[in-house]
Amino acid sequence: MILNVENVTKKFGGLVAVDHVSFQVKKQEILGIIGPNGAGKTTLFNVISGVYYPEEGKIFFNGRDITKVPSYKRARLGIARTHQIVKPLNELTVLENVMVGACFGKTGASLKQGMAIAGEVLDAVGLGHKRDVITVKLNVPEKKRLELARALASGPEVILLDEVLAGLNPTEADEMLQVILKIKESGITILMIEHLMHAIMKISDKIIVLDHGRKISEGSPQEVASDPKVIEAYLGDPDLALRLIKSKGNTL
Amino acid sequence: MKRGFIVWSVLCCFFLSFGFAKGAFAKSKIIIGFTVSQTGKLNAESKEQFNGMELWKDYVNKHGGIYVKNLHKRLPVEFRYYDDESSKDRVQQLYVRLINQDGADFLISPYSSGLTASSAIIAEQYGKVMLATGAASDGIFSKGYTHIFQIYTPASRYLTGALDLLKARDPKAKKVAIIFEQSNFAKAVASAAKNYAEKKGFKVVIFESYGKGTTDFTSFLNKIAEKKPDAIIGGGHFADGETFAKQIFEQRLKVKLVSLLVAPAVPKFAEIGNAALYVTAPSQWEPRAKFTKSTAKRLGLPWFGVSANWFIKKYSKLYGETPGYHAAGGFAAGLVLQKAIEDAGCLKSSKVIRALENMDLMTFYGRIKFDKGDYYGRQVGHEMVYLQWQKKDSKLEKEVIWPRGAESAKLIYPYYKKF
Amino acid sequence: MKRGYTLIWLIPLILAISLLPVIAHSVIYRETIFLILMYITLAVSLNIILGYTGYVSFGHIVFYGIGGYTSFYLMYRFGVHLILAMIMGGILSAIIALIVGEAVLRLRGAIFAIATIGINEAIKSLVTNLQFLGGATGMFFNFKIYKTYGGAAKAIWFAYWIMVVVTIICLLTSYFIKNSKFGYGLFSIREDEDAAVVLGVNTKRFKSIAFAISAFFPGLVGAIFFFKAGNIEPDDAFHLVKSIEMIFMVMLGGFGTVSGPPIGALLYERLKGILLINPLFKNLHMAITGFILLIIILFAPGGIVGWFRNRFKKLRSLLE
Amino acid sequence: MEAWIGAILSGILLGLVYGLAAMGLNLIWGVINVINLSHGAFIALGMFSAYFLFHFAGLNPFIAVALVLIIGLIIGMGAYFVALHRVLDAPELSTLLSTYSLSLIIIGLGTFIFTTNPRAIDIGLGSIGVAGIYIPISKILTGLFSVLFTVILYLFLYKTWTGKAIRAVSMNKSAAEFMGVNSIFILSLSFGIGIALAMIAGCLIAAIFPFTILSGSVYELKSFVICVLGGLGSPLGALIGGLILGLLENVFALKIPVGYIPFIEFMILVIILLVKPTGLITKR
C-alpha cells in the first residue's frame, strides 16, 4: 500500500467536508474519485497533500504516518498534485514553472539539473515549444498541461490530479489520457478527480465515490457504475443517471 | 560596442548632473551660509531671526563691510541660504552644500536646537565656525565641539526664573506641571527646570512631553485638571506653544501661572487674543529691557554695535512690527561674528575662534561671553528676562516682569483672574 | 537558467561611481554618491522581500532604524568600532525580522503592508519613550568618537568606503539569490504561495529568511548613515516616508529584477537632488515623484528595466 | 471627579471625529477592497478647503462642510478613474501605490501652494461650561456633525437603492452586476463618498485644531487603527472604533504617560491584524 487513508474527517466550522473516509491505494494504481459538486473531493486532496490537517483520522504514505507532516514535506516525500483551478506561477516562464517542481519536489534537483529535467518533462507533455513563454500567456489547456508537467518534474510516487480533463475538447482530452497512462506506466501512482465519466471509467483501476463528504461506494468501475447508491447520489433519478453514464462523451 | 557607447554617454550626462564645486578665487566678500525655516512649523520664529540677520547685513554693508586687517580692506557680507522646511531631514545635506559648493566662510545656525545640533556636526566635520543663535540647548556644547559659539542664554537657565518668580509672588504655590515638546531645546529646559523645582521645594506633579507638531493637548489638559497644579511651565516652540496656550484658555484651567517657552515672546502670539493674556515667558531680550553704553561702562565691558533704540526703530520701520528676541538674536549673531573677524584680523577659522574665546563685551542684546570649559562655546555672559502679556488700554502688550530691577510692570497673578 | 551578464556592467558601474569623489577630489560628490549608494542598498534589499517574494513591506525602514539605533548605542555607550557595531546592528535587524516575520508573514497582501506600517510606528513610539536611547531627542556623538578613525574628516571617508563595500555585497547577494534555487522558491511564493507550498517549497522558512536578509542590509545602512550623521532620533530613524521612497525606487527601476532597484535608486536620488536645490521645484519634488509613480503603476508596472526587457529582447541577458 | 467627567466628555467628542475620519477609509476598504493611502492627504485637503472657504468666502467650517462634501464627491470620483480603475484587478501593491501616489501629488502640490506653515481657523465661539468643566463649543459642534454624517451615511447605505447597490457590490461584485447594478459607477461613487467623508472630517477637524498640509497623516494612521478595531463595512463600526481611540487618548491617558498612547494604539493595530486577519477583512 503506497497510500493509506484511515477514517479521515475534515470540518469547516459546522460543515463536515470529509466525513470518516478511508481507502487504500496500491502502487502504480489509478484511483478515480468521483462524486457530485461539493462532495468533498477537492478537500480530500487538500488533506492528502497537507493543505489542511484532518480533525480525525490518519494518513499513511509508504507506511509512514504523514497526518501532521506539512505540505511542502509531503511534496518532498513524493506526493505531487495539480489544482482544479490552475495555479501557474504567472510571471515566470513555462520552463521556470516546471523547474520549481523539479527543484523543490522529491527530485530535489539543483537549478542546472532542474532545467534539464524540466525540458524533458515539457517535451513529454507536449509543451516543449512553449518553454520560454511567460506562463500568463498560455491558454487553459496549456496551463493544465503545465501543472501536470510541474507535478511530474517533482519526481513523485503519488500524483493527485484534480480535474485535469475539464475544459479540454475531446481530442485534447484523449491526448491527456494517453499522457496519464504513460505516467502510470512509468511507475507512478495516480489519484484523480474527474467529472468526465467515461474517461475515468476507462482509465481507473479502482473508483471511490464521495457524497456529502462520505464515501458511499468503492470498487472497480463496473461495480461502482452499477451501484444504485451512486446513481442516486448523482441525480436522484437512477434511470436518468444510468442513461447519462452510458452515453459516451457527456460530462456530468 | 555601440551599446557600450550609449551606456557611457548616459553615464556622462548623469555625472554632469552633479554640478561642479566652485574654485578658489581672490576674496572680495565674506560669505555667510545658513538655512532658514521659511516654511514649516518653525517659520514664525525663524523668519524673525532671519529678519534680524538681514538688518545686520544691511547695517554692515552700508559701512562698507567688515574690516579685515590682513587684507587691508573692508569686505562686504553676502548671505547664502536655503529653506530647511523646519525639518532635520535635509539640514546636514544643505550645510555640506553651503560649505563645499557655496564656499561659505562662516556659518550661522538654523533656528532651533534640534536643527542646530544636526548642522553643528557638519560645521565641526568641516572645521567651519558657526554662530549658534536661536539654539539654546546646553547639550550641543557637551559634545566636544570646538567651532560652535552660542548667542542665547542656554536652556538650563530658561525656566528657572519662572520658578523663582512664582516663589517670590506666592510662597504657598507648591505644585508644578512641566509639559514640554519632544525637542532638544524643550527637553533640556524641562529637565533643568525639574531639577531646579525639586531643589526649591516644589512638587512636580506632571512631567511629560508631547510630540513635535502636536495640535491636540486635551490629554494633557485633562491631566492638569486632575492633578490641579499651581503652575504650568513648559511648551516648546511657537506653533505648539500658541495652541497649548489657546487650549488652556478654552478649558478654563484654574492655574495660577502659565509660563511657556518661545511662543509668548514672539509678537505674533497676540493673535490668539484673550488666550494670550497673563501668559508669561522667558525671553532672551525685550525692547523694554535696554542695555546701553552706560550699562557697559558700569560693568567695565567694551561696547560694540548699535543701540537698542536704533535696532527697534530700524526693524519696526523695515518689517512693520516690534522686534522680538529672535530678531535681536539674529542681529546679535551677526554683530558677534563681525567683532570676532575684526579682532582676528583675518578670515582663518582658528584665528576667529581665538577671538571668540577672548570675547567679553556688551551689545544692545546684552553681554556676550563664551564658556571655555567642558561646555566649550556655550553662552555664559547673557542673562534672560521674563515677560507677561498684559492689557494696556485694551491692547495686548508684553511687559517685563522679572528679574527685579528690570521690570516694566508688575506680575499679574493668578493667571485665572481673567476668566 | 542561463546566467545573465548583469553583473558585468553593474558592479563596474557602481565601482566607477564610488571612485568618482576620489578622482574629482570633491566632497560634494562624496556626499551625493554616499546617498546614492545608501539608496541603492535600501532599494536592493527591499526588493528581496518585495520584488522577489511579493510581500509589500511598507514599514521596511524600521530595520534601518533598528540597525541605526543598535549600532549608535554601541558606539555611543561602549565605543565599539563602527564595523563591529554595524554588523551587530545588521544582525539584530535580521533577528527582529525573523521574530516579527514569524507573526506577520502569515498575513498577505495589503494586510501585511498595514501591519508593517503598524510595526514601524509602534517601534518608533516605543523608542520615543525609552530614555536610555535618548527618547524623542535621540543621541548625539561626542566628537571624540571620531578620533579612533583619525578625526571627523577621515571618519566620513571611512564611512563612505564602508558604504561602498556594503552596497557591493548587497548587490551580489541580490544577484545570487535571484539566480539560486532559493530565489526560485521565493518567486514561486510571489506568484502563488498556495501552489508553492504543495510544490515542496518550505514557504514559511523561505519567507522568513528572505525577510531577514532584506532586513539585514538596511540595518547596516542605518548604522553607517547615523555614524556619519553624528546623531540619531526616532523621527529620522523610523521615517515612514523613507519606506515609501524605497518602494518607489524599486518600482521605478523594476520590481523583482537585479538591476532595476539600483537604477531606480540612482535615478531617484538624482531627481530628488536636482529638484530639491531648485527653489521653484523644491516643493514640487513630491508631486513629481507621485506623478511618476502613478504613471509607472498604471502603464509600466515592470519599471524601467521591465520596459526595456519587453521592448528589446536582446537586452534581456544584460538586464536581469 | 470633574477631571474624569471632563476627560470622558472630551474623549467622546474626539472619538466621534476620529470615527468620522476613519469612516471614509473604512467604506473604501470595505466596498472596493482598496486601502486608500491617500486618505490623509484628502483629510488635509478638507482642512485647507475649510481654511479658504473661511478666509475668502467667510463661511465657517460648519456651513462650509456642505460644500466640501460636494467638492469631495467630485474629486473622489475623478480620482477613482484616474488612479484606481485601471489597477483594480491588479495585485494589491498596485492599488496601495496608486493611492499613495495620489497622496504624494496632493501633498506635493499643497506644499508648493500653501507651504507647510501651520494654520488655524478661529471662529471664536468660545467655551461652554457646567460645574467647572469647560468645553469649546466648536468641539461640541464637531462631535454633533460627526454623528449627523454617520446617520446620513447609514440611512444612505441602508435605505436608498444606490446605497443598497453599494453594499451589494461590496458583498459580491459579479452577482450585483448580474442584478443590473452598474458596478463601475458604484465603485467610483463609493470612492467618491469615501473621499468626501475624509474631506468632511478634515473640514471639521480644522475648526478645532490647527493644521498644516502634512497633518492628514496623523489621522490616516489613527484611521487604520480604528478600521481594524471597528471592523469593516459599517459606519457604526468606525464610530465605535473612533470612540475607543478617543477614550483611550483622553481617559486612559490620565493614568499613564501620554507618550505611550501611540505605542498602545499601534500595538492594538498589529495584534488585531495578527489575531483576526481574515475575520476583520472577510466580514463583508
Side-chain angles (χ1 to χ4, degrees), chain C residues 215-231:
Chain C
F216 177 72
F217 288 104
L220 301 184
V221 173
I224 306 167
F225 179 80
F226 289 107
F227 168 81
K228 182 168 164 290
N231 75 325

Side-chain angles (χ1 to χ4, degrees), chain A residues 5 8-12 15-23 33-49 52 81 84 160 162-163 191-195 208-216 234:
Chain A
V5 175
V8 160
T9 299
K10 174 68 205 165
K11 296 176 192 158
F12 295 105
L15 178 83
V16 186
V18 176
D19 193 355
H20 297 97
V21 170
S22 302
F23 62 87
I33 300 172
I34 60 171
N37 280 325
K41 304 183 297 284
T42 298
T43 308
L44 182 64
F45 266 22
N46 281 338
V47 172
I48 295 171
S49 63
Y52 307 128
R81 73 172 288 183
Q84 184 181 9
L160 314 178
D162 198 346
E163 296 196 29
L191 273 69
M192 62 190 291
I193 295 175
E194 200 48 70
H195 273 174
I208 63 171
V209 187
L210 295 185
D211 185 29
H212 290 109
R214 274 191 298 269
K215 185 178 84 178
I216 56 168
Y234 256 83

Side-chain angles (χ1 to χ4, degrees), chain B residues 35-270:
Chain B
T35 68
V36 191
S37 306
Q38 287 170 325
T39 56
K41 61 184 159 50
L42 299 173
N43 85 312
E45 305 97 308
S46 186
K47 189 91 207 335
E48 229 193 290
Q49 176 171 309
F50 177 64
N51 288 345
M53 282 156 60
E54 283 272 288
L55 190 64
W56 168 74
K57 189 184 82 179
D58 292 348
Y59 155 81
V60 151
N61 287 346
K62 200 169 276 171
H63 293 85
I66 300 175
Y67 184 70
V68 186
K69 206 166 149 201
N70 72 346
L71 299 173
H72 308 292
K73 63 176 177 184
R74 288 182 175 276
L75 293 182
V77 169
E78 195 179 301
F79 282 173
R80 289 283 160 77
Y81 59 90
Y82 298 102
D83 179 11
D84 56 40
E85 299 170 42
S86 311
S87 138
K88 249 190 65 180
D89 286 2
R90 299 186 50 241
V91 162
Q92 293 199 335
Q93 206 183 339
L94 290 172
Y95 271 86
V96 169
R97 197 180 167 80
L98 285 165
I99 295 166
N100 295 296
Q101 198 133 334
D102 299 330
D105 299 299
F106 298 98
L107 302 170
I108 290 178
S109 72
Y111 175 74
S112 88
S113 300
L115 301 188
T116 302
S118 299
S119 60
I121 294 164
I122 302 299
E124 282 294 324
Q125 286 175 344
Y126 291 94
K128 290 281 173 193
V129 174
M130 177 190 269
L131 269 297
T133 183
S137 170
D138 301 67
I140 300 169
F141 302 91
S142 61
K143 306 293 190 290
Y145 297 163
T146 51
H147 292 73
I148 320 297
F149 294 87
Q150 188 179 34
I151 300 296
Y152 276 23
T153 300
S156 53
R157 287 191 275 150
Y158 252 74
L159 279 173
T160 51
L163 295 161
D164 292 335
L165 171 68
L166 182 63
K167 206 165 180 78
R169 178 65 181 77
D170 180 3
K172 278 184 291 182
K174 278 278 166 275
K175 291 198 280 184
V176 184
I178 304 178
I179 294 170
F180 56 100
E181 186 193 31
Q182 288 170 352
S183 65
N184 272 306
F185 161 63
K187 189 178 167 192
V189 172
S191 318
K194 184 172 181 245
N195 286 338
Y196 191 75
E198 279 160 357
K199 216 166 69 193
K200 289 278 164 175
F202 288 103
K203 200 174 163 223
V204 179
V205 290
I206 304 174
F207 184 76
E208 283 199 34
S209 60
Y210 55 85
K212 285 179 193 165
T214 298
T215 54
D216 177 11
F217 290 89
T218 328
S219 322
F220 297 97
L221 301 178
N222 293 335
K223 254 192 184 157
I224 292 168
E226 198 214 354
K227 302 263 180 191
K228 301 195 170 52
D230 296 302
I232 302 173
I233 64 175
H237 289 99
F238 180 75
D240 52 306
E242 191 187 53
T243 312
F244 194 17
K246 199 173 150 204
Q247 294 181 0
I248 290 174
F249 175 68
E250 282 174 347
Q251 287 211 3
R252 304 281 192 278
L253 287 180
K254 283 199 104 182
V255 288
K256 293 173 182 158
L257 182 78
V258 176
S259 195
L260 297 178
L261 298 170
V262 181
V266 178
K268 222 178 125 191
F269 189 68

Side-chain angles (χ1 to χ4, degrees), chain A residues 180-225:
Chain A
I180 293 171
L181 284 172
K182 246 195 270 172
I183 296 170
K184 182 191 169 183
E185 277 160 27
S186 71
I188 297 171
T189 311
I190 298 171
L191 273 69
M192 62 190 291
I193 295 175
E194 200 48 70
H195 273 174
L196 208 59
M197 213 47 78
H198 78 285
I200 201 155
M201 290 295 169
K202 196 164 86 186
I203 201 173
S204 301
D205 299 311
K206 188 169 90 174
I207 286 181
I208 63 171
V209 187
L210 295 185
D211 185 29
H212 290 109
R214 274 191 298 269
K215 185 178 84 178
I216 56 168
S217 182
E218 179 173 3
S220 70
Q222 290 74 23
E223 286 162 10
V224 167

Side-chain angles (χ1 to χ4, degrees), chain D residues 123-146:
Chain D
I123 39 179
L125 292 174
S127 299
I128 184 168
V130 182
I133 303 163
Y134 282 86
I135 291 177
I137 291 172
S138 47
K139 255 192 181 175
I140 297 174
L141 281 177
T142 310
L144 291 178
F145 269 76
S146 304

Side-chain angles (χ1 to χ4, degrees), chain A residues 62-125:
Chain A
N62 278 332
R64 176 180 166 189
D65 183 357
I66 57 162
T67 318
K68 295 282 173 199
V69 171
S71 225
Y72 70 90
K73 278 195 187 155
R74 296 189 199 192
R76 288 178 192 174
L77 287 173
I79 300 178
R81 73 172 288 183
T82 70
H83 297 87
Q84 184 181 9
I85 299 158
V86 286
K87 289 180 183 290
L89 309 173
N90 275 325
E91 296 297 321
L92 301 186
T93 65
V94 169
L95 185 77
E96 287 169 334
N97 258 276
V98 182
M99 275 166 65
V100 171
C103 292
F104 293 98
K106 193 182 178 215
T107 316
S110 69
L111 274 187
K112 217 171 181 178
Q113 296 162 336
M115 194 153 61
I117 294 168
E120 287 167 24
V121 177
L122 279 174
D123 288 336
V125 300

